[in-house]
Amino acid sequence: MCGIVGYIGTDKALPKVLSGLKFLEYRGYDSAGIAFVKNKSLNILKEVGRIENLDKKINAQEETYVSIGHTRWATHGKPNVINSHPHKNGKFTVVHNGIIENYVLIKEKLIKEGYSFLSETDTEVIPALLDYNYSISKDIMVSIRDTIKELEGSYALGIICDDDLKHIYAVRNGSPLIIARDEKGYFLSSDVPAILNFTNKYILLDESEIAKLSFDEYKIYDTNLDEIRKEEKIFDGTPDSAMKGNYEHYMLKEIHEEGKVFKDTLNYYVDNYKFKNTMPNFKKYNKIHIIGCGSAYYVGNIGKYLIEEYTNIPVLVEVASEYRYKKNFYDKDTLVIVISQSGETADSLAALRKAKEDKIDTLAIVNVVGSSISREADYTLYVKAGPEIAVATTKAFLAQTVLISLLAVKFSNNLNLLKEYDNLEKHICNLLNNNYEKYAEAIYKHEDTFFIGRLIDYALCLEGSLKLKETSYINSVAFQAGELKHGTISLIKDGTPVIGICTDENIINKTISNLKEVKARNAYVIFITNEDIDEDFYDLKLVLPKVHKLVMPILSIIPLQLIAYEVAKKRGCDIDKPQNLAKSVTVE
Ligand code: M6R
């Protein structure tokens, strides 16, 4: 998601704008740029990659008091310097967050009027259209009003005009924008946290309102260009609390975003029960290797079960740190899929490079746009999880599970399966609103727990167990239910929590037998199922909605994440930053 920051005032502008941009990093971006006024002219600097790259090019102590900055998350055109914002055309310079849906038509009209365009972006039509309308009205406010009448889509804009370098203009529709003030000047920003280092006084700009920021005041106008008064708000909290909203932890907030993440990921690849062209054609592959680390590897396990269930393609799943050093049996019909939330995990990147060196086609499933893995793979499919801040992954895991299940459908070529996603969002919301306190209560005082399941349920056990141990520091082991009796059952003591996941009706009775075995040894059994079974082999039951096997893991994971969260909370752990862990593991 793109981000905007602007400042005009009596303090130097660049430190403030750069500080704001750094706060917006959490939104994800692949390039950054800045425009500033110096010696009565406008300068633009842009760089691909991190804000630090831009920072190195800039003298932050530059004598400039008017500046707009931008982090770009590429939508129209590659992440490169030309496509980065700010965009200048004619007398207008613009930073934009959102998408202009009718940009092709506007571009055609403006080309006929003699305008030319440098970038592939939708955004560049905005300064050109402003310039065109300004050439008619000779009034900046009128040209902004006339321009937004023509724009379709969503936008938040920061605007500077060469004929008036003492003002910044701002307007929005669909995308958020706030105006703020401190003692020395005025800000515009995509969100509140970006300005909290300087001020907590802000107003929310409403749809189509136009803001005009000067050195000593700001004014807001409606679409008739009449000035309006808006109530200033005071944000009572820290940048961290602003980003967490009403949630106590990022982990909880991110779990609660899963309904949206599901919808966004599905809608990005599927429309009306058909795949969009955002999903490439993979017909030529008859062998698949899935590589990842930690949770991403467990998504790979889910993928293996689903792809093998619905196609005749054999799937090998490996942890990246093993795969990179072992002998791999692949050929030109093999597709190597690398799954990574961050797109920067060193072992996963090395495994990808190894496959590429061997001239094997690679596909990345990544959340962070512009990350190394996404750039180096032959194909990249993004999950639409949005920025994930808690170290333990939750919403990205769910999004990866959605995408790997869609890949199973794609490989199977059975589009009827796409109907199975129909009621999932409702089920996700219901699961998110359930109370998991009693399950956490049964677990949190123990130092050992076991998760058991078979086939795809075992893949969920692996992730449920990892979530519990990394957030609550309880030793937890996931086992294929049938394996328990071959040794590990000796660890079952009075009251040891054993969580059994049973959603596959073909083997549910087998796993129930294993749960009975541990119950007979006085384990505390938590039975998680989508079947209507009422017996006495469990202490607690958690009922999941019964949906098609293809989409079941998208639901099964939610209670496991929330139970881990509740347990960690009861144990007073540092939930968002567990000990010894990093969000992005860039070392071997
Ligand atoms: O960014 P990646 O998906 O490549 O990260 C892989 C693992 O490091 C990650 O899933 C890790 O296991 C997390 N701690 C899981 O919550």
Side-chain angles (χ1 to χ4, degrees), residues 293-296 340-342 345 391-393 466-467 470 585:
C293 299
S295 297
S340 175
Q341 186 285 129
S342 62
T345 301
V391 167
T393 183
L466 178 66
K467 230 42 357 161
E470 67 182 344
V585 185

Side-chain angles (χ1 to χ4, degrees), residues 410-464:
K410 180 73 186 175
F411 282 114
S412 77
N413 215 13
N414 177 3
L415 294 188
N416 281 334
L417 285 168
L418 293 175
K419 296 213 168 66
E420 303 303 337
Y421 294 83
D422 272 359
N423 292 314
L424 279 199
E425 197 190 343
K426 183 185 79 197
H427 290 311
I428 292 173
C429 290
N430 290 341
L431 284 169
L432 290 173
N433 290 326
N434 283 352
N435 189 332
Y436 298 94
E437 181 83 25
K438 63 181 175 195
Y439 308 98
E441 187 69 34
I443 295 171
Y444 88 103
K445 286 191 182 140
H446 292 269
E447 288 309 316
D448 297 297
T449 55
F450 294 88
F451 283 74
I452 64 168
R454 289 170 185 251
L455 304 177
I456 200 158
D457 288 332
Y458 170 61
L460 270 303
C461 286
L462 288 165
E463 175 61 6

Side-chain angles (χ1 to χ4, degrees), residues 439-505:
Y439 308 98
E441 187 69 34
I443 295 171
Y444 88 103
K445 286 191 182 140
H446 292 269
E447 288 309 316
D448 297 297
T449 55
F450 294 88
F451 283 74
I452 64 168
R454 289 170 185 251
L455 304 177
I456 200 158
D457 288 332
Y458 170 61
L460 270 303
C461 286
L462 288 165
E463 175 61 6
S465 174
L466 178 66
K467 230 42 357 161
L468 185 67
K469 74 182 127 206
E470 67 182 344
T471 56
S472 72
Y473 317 145
I474 291 177
N475 174 42
S476 172
V477 179
F479 251 88
Q480 284 133 321
E483 270 294 288
L484 210 60
K485 58 184 173 292
H486 296 289
T488 310
I489 199 163
S490 67
L491 295 173
I492 301 295
K493 294 190 291 234
D494 274 7
T496 305
V498 177
I499 297 125
I501 306 178
C502 304
T503 69
D504 184 341
E505 59 193 3

Side-chain angles (χ1 to χ4, degrees), residues 38-168:
K38 194 185 163 195
N39 298 335
K40 297 190 180 152
S41 69
L42 196 91
N43 304 269
I44 296 178
L45 286 170
K46 319 193 223 187
E47 266 299 313
V48 174
R50 316 308 300 166
I51 292 171
E52 289 80 65
N53 301 348
L54 180 69
D55 212 345
K56 279 183 204 145
K57 266 188 144 180
I58 288 175
N59 168 16
Q61 293 314 316
E62 201 83 74
E63 291 290 330
T64 173
Y65 301 89
V66 182
S67 173
I68 50 177
H70 188 265
T71 48
R72 174 174 187 250
W73 188 84
T75 56
H76 296 66
K78 291 186 187 61
N80 59 29
V81 171
I82 291 178
N83 289 334
S84 307
H85 301 211
H87 285 284
K88 186 171 199 302
N89 204 315
K91 292 182 170 178
F92 284 81
T93 301
V94 161
V95 287
H96 167 217
N97 169 21
I99 286 178
I100 303 304
E101 287 158 5
N102 59 339
Y103 82 102
V104 176
L105 286 177
I106 297 174
K107 203 170 187 172
E108 282 167 5
K109 163 184 145 171
L110 291 169
I111 287 170
K112 282 187 197 134
E113 296 295 337
Y115 284 85
S116 55
F117 295 87
L118 291 173
S119 75
E120 303 160 89
T121 64
D122 53 339
T123 300
E124 200 185 346
V125 301
I126 304 172
L129 187 59
L130 284 163
D131 188 77
Y132 173 71
N133 287 329
Y134 180 64
S135 69
I136 297 165
S137 66
K138 311 279 186 251
D139 182 314
I140 296 171
M141 289 295 287
V142 173
S143 85
I144 293 174
R145 185 200 55 194
D146 293 348
T147 297
I148 62 175
K149 276 188 193 155
E150 288 182 61
L151 298 179
E152 287 171 19
S154 63
Y155 50 83
L157 303 175
I159 303 165
I160 298 179
C161 175
D162 286 353
D163 284 353
D164 177 14
L165 295 175
K166 291 183 176 164
H167 289 101
I168 298 175

Side-chain angles (χ1 to χ4, degrees), residues 306-307 310-311 403-413 550:
L306 294 179
I307 295 169
Y310 300 109
T311 73
L403 188 44
I404 205 82
S405 70
L406 289 174
L407 276 178
V409 180
K410 180 73 186 175
F411 282 114
S412 77
N413 215 13
L550 170 75

